[in-house]
Amino acid sequence: MNRFKSIIAGLSEIVGPSGVLTESTDLVAYSYDGTSNWHATPDVVVLPTTTEQVAAVMQLAYDQEIPVTVRGAGTNLSGGSIPVEGGIVLCMTRMDRILDIDAANFTATVEVGVVLNKFNQALARQNLFFPPDPQSFLAATIGGCAAENSGGPYAVKYGIFKHYLLGMQIVLPGGRILNLGGKTVKNVTGYDLTLLLCGSEGTLAVITSVTLRLLPRPETRQTILAIFDEVTTAGGAVHRIRQSGLIPAKIEMIDNWIIRRIEEMSPLGLPRAAEAILLFELDGNSAAVENESREVIRLCREADAVDVRPAKDAEEAENFWAARRAGFSAIWGNSPTVLAEDVTVPTDRMAELISTIQTISRRHDVPVVMIGHAGDGNLHPCILTDKKNAEHFHRAEQVASEIFSTALALGGVISGEHGIGLEKKKFLKLAMEPGAIELLKSIKQVFDPKGLLNPGKIWEAGP
Amino acid sequence: MNPIGAIDPARCMKCGFCMSVCPVYIHDRVETHVARGRNMLIKMVAENRLPRDNAYRASLTYCLLCRRCESVCPAGLLPAEITIHARHDVVKKSRPSLLRRLVHRAMVGNRAVIAQLIGMASVLPGVSVKNGKPMRHLAEAASILSGNLSLPSGALRSFARPIPRHARPAAGVAVKGRIAIFPGCVFEFFMAEIARDMITALARAGFEVYFPQGLSCCGHAVYSDGEFKTARLMAERNIRVLSNFDRVVTGCATCGSALKGYAGWFEKNDPMHGLAADLARRSVDFTQLLHAADFKPPEPAGIGRSVTYHDPCHMRWHQGISESPRRLLQSISGISYREMEGADACCGLGGAFGLTHRQIGLRLLDEKMTAIRRSGAQTVVTACPGCLLHLKAGARRHHLPVQVLHISRLMAGPNP
């Protein structure tokens, strides 16, 4: 029996034959993520159902020196779950049990394959709420969110994944099972290994379950839409509202290109000339939400909004947010290749970031569409290009590079929520001091001395 | 019919939202078996980066064609249609068996003969025309017989009582219109009592009902298999036979989906395309028509009074119908309507899917039975012959004492 066959037999023994996929079609189905330009096929896909199985797979991989790339739903936008060195894709989607919802202590323990939306549906039945909301929540797994330290529109008020992570169970390369952290909000016990794993992009250990902090579900919500004829005026409105001491749950922005696409696809009656739209969500008890809504409307008007529309009811609010979500599909529908960037700056530099990106886009004659989390300074400039057109794609990469430099010059970062993965690893040196990158590599060495876990990610090979 | 680009798998943005609703994926969690994975495979085959090998062909069978994923696809793709076109691409490149071609062709015009043959064959022990590759529709009925799902007793007796070709409202009732019913293979040959119930209810609602001669199989299953040539012959025949009626009423969810979707079966420059679009405008589901006509169902007799409704995929996702059957059931005096959890979840049959992928089909069926049990309903109502058979098989499998009925049974009143 050759080596490959004996490895497959070994894996089948651990997870059962139905948990091992080797057909050419299966390998293709695990060769991509949510980005449009990264592909690499694994040699085998393994779908474990228990931590013990994960440990046995990791031990086998360690003994045989096979690369292992951990994957959840594969909705990430960084190339982070692409098995660039082949080997095993360890897909966690079958570990999908909610182990415990402790309403008395506002915590829950879940296996990593639980889908974020399913988790929140289960919590809603007990009037609980888990805020981090990457917009892939319909499909994204909790494990992917932990490994990517995900966030979304709720970051303005509620923060991101790491703010809710209390503990986890992991499997180290080699197969050792460890429990980290605990289930209390306060916990200062040695280095915070839980936080170290959060956002580690699957490069240090396999996370098999997490313990999360929960919040009571807000009693009511109000959505407000504000229209501006200048991006900078919209930026000014966000600044004014932030300075007033109000903390909306979400402040989202869409630009003119997206407004026009929305009006073409499913008209909401938005003025096509509007340069920017801000969408606010306020939540809490009804009296507070009512007061805050009035205040947001007043401040938007003071900041020269062309029009301010509070959603009449839940249905209209849902229409506004559906339009926001439709923005992304409009982008993908209109371009063969999209470089969806993820730069983040201090919130008061957002308007400056946007106008500089507009200049860069014009100079290189490459369209850049902007959707952003205006409330937390996280912008998604989407560069519309075509990988098959080498000359255009080259200009698009130039645009991306200049966007990163701009964000860094404004005191920001190159990734707010997508992670580095493959897509941004060549820019890491711009964003992190050499000494800090050295530390990353040393930490990796401690966890994964053979370099088998999700190889080829975050930093470039070589010194 | 299809928006431009909606059947281009390259437009998939790989968001994975289909994974949140796909009944197959939710059960096996294998990405090869969900729209996102299949879109990628189909795209790569089209670009000659993957062969049309057995693994690829097999991956094309892992779709129920329920079309639920369309409801969440931000790119507005039609993944079921993409899969069907990929099956067609495979069919074009391989010759189907002679038997299959003969049966399909015969089903265009000589359905009654085939139905009788199946009926006769089905009573012989051990006879299977399925052979791993089930023929569809009429033929599917045969597969069902050999696939551990039995037709209700008396199914074959319905040959003895023909479906009336014409029925009028009672004297003195104002005639609301002249309509044709399209019963489809199962309700014409194996469950003719359902076609008769439909006619009774429609006449009572004030319609003059015709059951036209010369109809073909709706062709849905043939089209779904990628056999476009035969499917188009079937569609063409039906479009012509039905051309003179103001309204065409279907009681079978699958036939309804087919009649409303024929336009998509023909190229835009084909003259049939326009005629098909016209038929789509005239086609209406039995429950839609009765609900719109403000029909008051009669007092039921001989059925359990707590009733629940199962949404067939071909009604809910193909035709977007969920309100009218519920409103009709709720309007029956003496009935207590109970919504089951996940009423719009697939029953697991999906045509031949439930037979070729029996394990997945059974898991979906088991969940459906749990939901029915929890609802406490005594009577389960639905609107699709496939669902009807599968739910009955499920009730036997789970020893669940429920009656499973087509909605026309509750609209027609006590058996004459």
Side-chain angles (χ1 to χ4, degrees):
Chain A
M1 194 156 44
N2 67 32
R3 181 166 171 257
F4 180 73
K5 276 193 180 155
S6 85
I7 289 167
I8 299 299
L11 291 169
S12 301
E13 214 162 284
I14 296 166
V15 297
S18 72
V20 179
L21 311 177
T22 54
E23 293 281 6
S24 54
T25 45
D26 298 322
L27 304 181
V28 167
Y30 292 85
S31 68
Y32 55 78
D33 64 358
T35 54
S36 48
N37 52 339
W38 297 101
H39 277 269
T41 46
D43 295 298
V44 55
V45 179
V46 181
L47 296 142
T49 53
T50 65
T51 301
E52 289 66 33
Q53 289 181 359
V54 173
V57 170
M58 291 308 286
Q59 193 182 345
L60 185 151
Y62 197 76
D63 293 346
Q64 300 284 336
E65 306 204 344
I66 307 164
V68 177
T69 300
V70 189
R71 178 187 172 99
T75 54
N76 57 294
L77 294 166
S78 64
S81 61
I82 308 282
V84 275
E85 292 188 13
I88 296 171
V89 158
L90 188 62
C91 185
M92 307 300 284
T93 48
R94 285 185 182 170
M95 287 187 65
D96 65 345
R97 287 173 305 162
I98 295 176
L99 301 172
D100 178 42
I101 295 177
D102 183 349
N105 288 302
F106 289 95
T107 64
T109 300
V110 299
E111 289 185 337
V112 287
V114 172
V115 171
L116 184 53
N117 192 49
K118 289 266 175 217
F119 180 47
N120 257 316
Q121 283 172 346
L123 293 178
R125 287 195 276 275
Q126 301 190 37
N127 247 335
L128 295 167
F129 168 49
F130 180 70
D133 57 341
Q135 293 300 285
S136 51
F137 61 84
L138 275 182
T141 62
I142 299 272
C145 295
E148 296 289 335
N149 190 8
S150 300
Y154 274 137
V156 188
K157 179 171 179 178
Y158 293 107
I160 60 177
F161 200 90
K162 67 179 176 189
H163 299 120
Y164 296 85
L165 184 58
L166 304 176
M168 59 170 59
Q169 185 172 61
I170 63 168
V171 178
L172 290 171
R176 191 156 167 211
I177 300 170
L178 291 178
N179 292 293
L180 308 178
K183 59 178 289 184
T184 55
V185 171
K186 293 186 170 182
N187 184 351
V188 187
T189 315
Y191 297 151
D192 195 334
L193 295 172
T194 311
L195 270 187
L196 178 60
L197 266 290
C198 183
S200 64
E201 304 193 32
T203 59
L204 299 181
V206 184
I207 307 168
T208 54
S209 71
V210 289
T211 298
L212 302 168
R213 176 188 170 207
L214 309 174
L215 293 181
R217 202 157 171 252
E219 181 194 309
T220 186
R221 299 193 155 98
Q222 174 67 49
T223 294
I224 296 164
L225 179 143
I227 300 165
F228 297 86
D229 51 15
E230 295 282 345
V231 174
T232 42
T233 353
V238 172
H239 188 63
R240 217 174 257 252
I241 288 163
R242 302 272 291 160
Q243 290 305 305
S244 78
L246 281 178
I247 307 182
K250 305 177 184 172
I251 311 176
E252 295 290 292
M253 193 214 76
I254 51 179
D255 77 354
N256 175 268
W257 187 94
I258 293 165
I259 295 166
R260 280 183 286 135
R261 293 296 97 70
I262 290 169
E263 286 304 299
E264 284 161 18
M265 294 188 304
S266 49
L268 277 176
L270 306 174
R272 285 170 192 240
E275 274 298 314
I277 283 179
L278 292 176
L279 263 178
F280 299 88
E281 185 176 291
L282 300 150
D283 66 357
N285 72 54
S286 15
V289 168
E290 206 172 301
N291 281 332
E292 291 178 4
S293 300
R294 248 199 320 270
E295 203 50 17
V296 165
I297 293 168
R298 187 180 67 79
L299 290 167
C300 281
R301 292 210 170 111
E302 269 183 29
D304 289 332
V306 180
D307 192 9
V308 187
R309 303 179 189 172
K312 287 192 292 289
D313 48 29
E315 195 185 334
E316 193 173 69
E318 178 45 35
N319 282 342
F320 289 168
W321 289 106
R324 156 71 176 82
R325 286 195 295 271
F328 264 113
S329 51
I331 292 167
W332 261 263
N334 279 278
S335 179
T337 309
V338 178
L339 301 178
E341 300 308 344
D342 178 31
V343 287
T344 304
V345 294
T347 44
D348 65 344
R349 314 300 292 274
M350 189 90 163
E352 208 175 326
L353 174 67
I354 293 171
S355 56
T356 312
I357 292 175
Q358 286 171 334
T359 313
I360 297 170
S361 162
R362 274 193 299 272
R363 193 169 59 238
H364 291 277
D365 191 21
V366 173
V368 180
V369 176
M370 281 176 273
I371 286 193
H373 310 302
D376 58 32
N378 184 196
L379 187 72
H380 297 304
C382 296
I383 305 167
L384 310 188
T385 179
D386 185 354
K387 210 183 172 187
K388 288 182 189 141
N389 179 341
E391 188 272 328
H392 195 278
F393 191 68
H394 176 72
R395 274 188 284 140
E397 287 191 309
Q398 196 61 38
V399 168
S401 166
E402 289 182 27
I403 290 175
F404 295 146
S405 311
T406 307
L408 293 169
L410 293 171
V413 298
I414 60 176
S415 175
E417 55 188 17
H418 296 173
I420 303 298
L422 293 171
E423 192 126 326
K424 295 189 188 68
K425 68 176 183 173
K426 68 177 172 192
F427 301 104
L428 187 73
K429 283 180 186 159
L430 294 176
M432 230 177 172
E433 294 174 47
I437 298 177
E438 278 314 307
L439 262 183
L440 293 187
K441 292 180 180 175
S442 310
I443 291 167
K444 167 77 172 174
Q445 184 66 26
V446 171
F447 275 84
D448 183 19
K450 291 188 178 181
L452 298 173
L453 253 183
N454 205 8
K457 306 293 160 65
I458 306 181
W459 55 80
E460 291 186 295
Chain B
M1 179 78 192
N2 302 336
I4 310 264
I7 58 168
D8 176 6
R11 284 194 54 238
C12 173
M13 43 193 278
K14 295 184 286 172
C15 65
F17 286 5
C18 47
M19 296 152 89
S20 68
V21 294
C22 173
V24 179
Y25 178 78
I26 287 170
H27 278 274
D28 72 4
R29 304 295 166 92
V30 172
E31 184 144 351
T32 326
H33 302 157
V34 70
R36 181 169 77 160
R38 210 162 24 243
N39 285 340
M40 179 60 73
L41 294 172
I42 294 169
K43 178 182 113 144
M44 287 180 67
V45 163
E47 293 170 353
N48 288 317
R49 289 157 67 196
L50 260 190
R52 290 172 182 80
D53 58 5
N54 286 337
Y56 173 68
R57 282 157 206 249
S59 74
L60 296 181
T61 69
Y62 273 92
C63 178
L64 287 155
L65 304 178
C66 70
R67 290 176 51 181
R68 189 166 187 163
C69 53
E70 286 170 25
S71 66
V72 293
C73 179
L77 289 184
L78 304 174
E81 202 61 26
I82 291 171
T83 300
I84 291 171
H85 277 80
R87 289 178 182 176
H88 173 63
D89 165 70
V90 168
V91 166
K92 269 194 310 195
K93 290 181 170 56
S94 64
R95 229 173 137 65
S97 75
L98 182 65
L99 175 68
R100 219 167 159 212
R101 273 180 294 148
L102 284 176
V103 170
H104 277 161
R105 287 305 163 86
M107 278 163 62
V108 180
N110 304 298
R111 293 186 307 145
V113 178
I114 301 280
Q116 271 161 339
L117 287 174
I118 290 169
M120 282 188 276
S122 66
V123 296
L124 303 174
V127 168
S128 167
V129 292
K130 193 164 70 109
N131 226 353
K133 284 224 162 181
M135 300 176 295
R136 296 300 193 90
H137 251 195
L138 258 185
E140 211 166 274
S143 311
I144 286 164
L145 290 167
S146 59
N148 210 9
L149 291 168
S150 56
L151 285 166
S153 65
L156 298 173
R157 279 204 308 273
S158 54
F159 281 112
R161 274 188 61 207
I163 302 165
R165 289 282 168 191
H166 181 215
R168 279 178 206 285
V173 176
V175 178
K176 287 184 176 144
R178 184 170 165 275
I179 61 172
I181 70 155
F182 185 97
C185 297
V186 179
F187 295 165
E188 183 171 347
F189 299 115
F190 297 96
M191 303 179 190
E193 69 281 4
I194 290 175
R196 285 194 295 271
D197 281 342
M198 281 174 61
I199 292 172
T200 306
L202 288 165
R204 190 170 289 161
F207 294 98
E208 183 169 2
V209 191
Y210 291 83
F211 169 32
Q213 307 242 18
L215 290 170
S216 167
C217 165
C218 73
H220 194 282
V222 180
Y223 179 77
S224 301
D225 250 1
E227 307 246 17
F228 288 2
K229 210 169 158 188
T230 312
R232 285 181 185 135
L233 285 175
M234 292 171 166
E236 215 170 310
R237 189 183 180 101
N238 290 329
I239 290 167
R240 293 197 193 287
V241 171
L242 297 169
S243 63
N244 291 325
F245 294 92
D246 308 334
R247 284 277 183 195
V248 178
V249 183
T250 49
C252 163
T254 308
C255 297
S257 162
L259 263 57
K260 288 174 181 173
Y262 279 159
W265 297 16
F266 297 94
E267 300 293 337
K268 289 243 162 42
N269 54 5
D270 187 324
M272 288 311 295
H273 180 87
L275 296 174
D278 178 60
L279 174 62
R281 279 189 289 276
R282 288 179 288 119
S283 296
V284 61
D285 177 71
F286 173 70
T287 61
Q288 278 181 310
L289 185 67
L290 287 186
H291 183 55
D294 225 358
F295 179 66
K296 296 279 168 286
E299 186 95 12
I303 68 148
R305 293 299 166 115
S306 62
V307 174
T308 194
Y309 176 74
H310 161 73
D311 290 286
C313 298
H314 292 174
M315 282 280 270
R316 177 68 189 85
W317 312 109
H318 287 219
Q319 301 183 62
I321 301 172
S322 59
E323 281 299 297
S324 53
R326 287 180 170 78
R327 295 290 92 83
L328 283 171
L329 292 172
Q330 286 159 353
S331 72
I332 303 173
S333 66
I335 288 278
S336 111
Y337 181 78
R338 302 174 183 209
E339 189 67 28
M340 73 171 102
E341 201 179 321
D344 60 9
C346 176
C347 73
L349 186 62
F353 181 97
L355 305 168
T356 49
H357 300 295
R358 195 75 194 121
Q359 287 315 307
I360 299 172
L362 281 179
R363 283 208 298 264
L364 294 170
L365 182 63
D366 290 347
E367 279 191 2
K368 182 56 71 174
M369 288 303 132
T370 306
I372 292 172
R373 188 193 302 275
R374 285 204 187 127
S375 76
Q378 300 159 303
T379 304
V380 185
V381 175
T382 191
C384 162
C387 299
L388 210 55
L389 287 169
H390 210 215
L391 295 176
K392 284 185 181 186
R396 280 196 300 276
R397 181 179 151 86
H398 285 251
H399 308 290
L400 206 58
V402 292
Q403 255 183 314
V404 184
L405 298 173
H406 186 267
I407 190 159
S408 61
R409 183 80 291 279
L410 285 86
M411 299 297 118
N415 272 322

